[in-house]
Amino acid sequence: MKLYLKIWRQLNADSKGEMVDYEIDGVTEHMSFLEMLDLLNESLIQQRERVIEFDHDCREGICGQCGVMINGRAHGPLKHTTTCQLHMRSFKDGDTIYIEPFRATAFPVVRDLKINRTAFDAIITAGGYIGASTGQAPEANTIPISYETVEASFDAAACIGCGACVATCKNSSAALFVGAKITHLALLPQGKIEASKRVLTMVNQMDSEGFGACSNTEACEVECPQGISVLSIAKMNYEYNKALVMRK
């Protein structure tokens, strides 16, 4: 398979970037998208050119580091699929593919396709945890929590923090990410003690990081590789308003 690639190249955060054309041959349908980029980088090394830098780690759809915009869509054409789990059988011989980094003020470009996601880390640090005594964990069956609540919490906890929701939102909102993290803990007995403090600090940190406001287009849910529901945003808003009332 021969492909024509248009890839964003940018030396650093302070330099001006541009789309650069590449041709690559010998791509098989069994390669992942990142393996295709690996193949291109091997040819660039042989030509003594600077390789294309991109984020990745586990390459198993777990870590959330590999996100890029592919033909204008976060993670590419398939639903509920990370970039590393996207395979080249989704493309045809002779296709032209546009590859860019996630675009958001809070996600500055580091180099090429690499972005800085530390804004997410700051939000988690602000309140995405529970205070619990150390020691032996209690028997799970003794915790009074229903199956439905467990499943809802687990669904929210599935968020891998890739940032696709931010990249696909016209406002660069992080509401789905923050909503998922707040919902995950707010539903559990262990998270209720600090629920009010958590939601206030995390939402305030989200705003201070420069993310935009949610306008309920639901594009974030469509592009989320884990299929996180926008109901998490509704839960976040409920918890936030409740915390404001309780604080008065």
Side-chain angles (χ1 to χ4, degrees):
M1 185 187 302
K2 184 175 183 179
L3 299 170
Y4 302 93
L5 308 177
K6 294 181 179 292
I7 303 178
W8 183 260
R9 302 303 307 265
Q10 184 171 337
L11 186 60
N12 54 54
D14 299 321
S15 64
K16 183 179 180 180
E18 62 178 352
M19 300 296 287
V20 178
D21 294 340
Y22 296 95
E23 290 185 13
I24 182 171
D25 206 349
V27 176
T28 70
E29 63 178 9
H30 304 295
M31 287 182 176
S32 71
F33 197 85
L34 297 189
E35 288 172 335
M36 180 274 293
L37 291 179
D38 290 337
L39 182 64
L40 175 60
N41 276 339
E42 288 176 6
S43 67
L44 293 178
I45 290 172
Q46 293 174 355
Q47 299 169 34
R48 299 186 179 277
E49 296 183 24
R50 183 171 69 83
V51 299
I52 298 160
E53 297 192 28
F54 56 92
D55 291 315
H56 67 93
D57 190 5
C58 72
R59 298 202 179 200
E60 295 179 350
I62 298 172
C63 71
Q65 294 300 302
C66 62
V68 295
M69 301 296 289
I70 303 171
N71 289 340
R73 292 192 62 178
H75 292 301
L78 300 184
K79 287 186 176 181
H80 310 318
T81 303
T82 56
T83 300
C84 64
Q85 293 298 296
L86 176 68
H87 287 76
M88 300 312 296
R89 53 180 169 267
S90 297
F91 303 92
K92 302 188 298 293
D93 184 39
D95 275 356
T96 297
I97 306 175
Y98 291 79
I99 310 171
E100 302 174 76
F102 284 170
R103 305 288 191 179
T105 300
F107 288 164
V109 175
V110 176
R111 178 177 290 185
D112 296 337
L113 306 176
K114 292 172 64 69
I115 61 171
N116 185 336
R117 291 186 182 89
T118 54
F120 272 7
D121 298 333
I123 294 171
I124 294 297
T125 302
Y129 54 85
I130 60 172
S133 300
T134 58
Q136 184 174 353
E139 165 57 42
N141 292 326
T142 66
I143 301 176
I145 180 171
S146 68
Y147 171 81
E148 291 76 16
T149 301
V150 169
E151 287 299 298
S153 178
F154 187 82
D155 287 344
C159 170
I160 58 177
C162 67
C165 53
V166 176
T168 197
C169 177
K170 65 179 183 180
N171 305 322
S172 297
S173 171
L176 190 68
F177 167 77
V178 180
K181 300 305 180 183
I182 288 172
T183 299
H184 161 218
L185 295 176
L187 290 173
L188 299 176
Q190 300 93 327
K192 293 187 181 299
I193 298 173
E194 298 157 309
S196 295
K197 177 183 177 182
R198 176 184 306 112
V199 69
L200 291 174
T201 56
M202 291 184 73
V203 170
N204 290 340
Q205 187 65 42
M206 172 180 66
D207 292 340
S208 68
E209 292 295 331
F211 293 103
C214 173
S215 53
N216 297 311
T217 62
E218 301 185 8
C220 52
E221 180 179 321
V222 173
E223 298 299 343
C224 175
Q226 297 299 98
I228 304 295
S229 171
V230 292
L231 292 177
S232 294
I233 300 176
K235 177 66 172 175
M236 175 184 68
N237 292 335
Y238 168 77
E239 293 291 334
Y240 185 79
N241 290 322
K242 183 173 71 171
L244 290 178
V245 172
M246 292 176 62
R247 191 172 62 173
K248 293 180 179 179

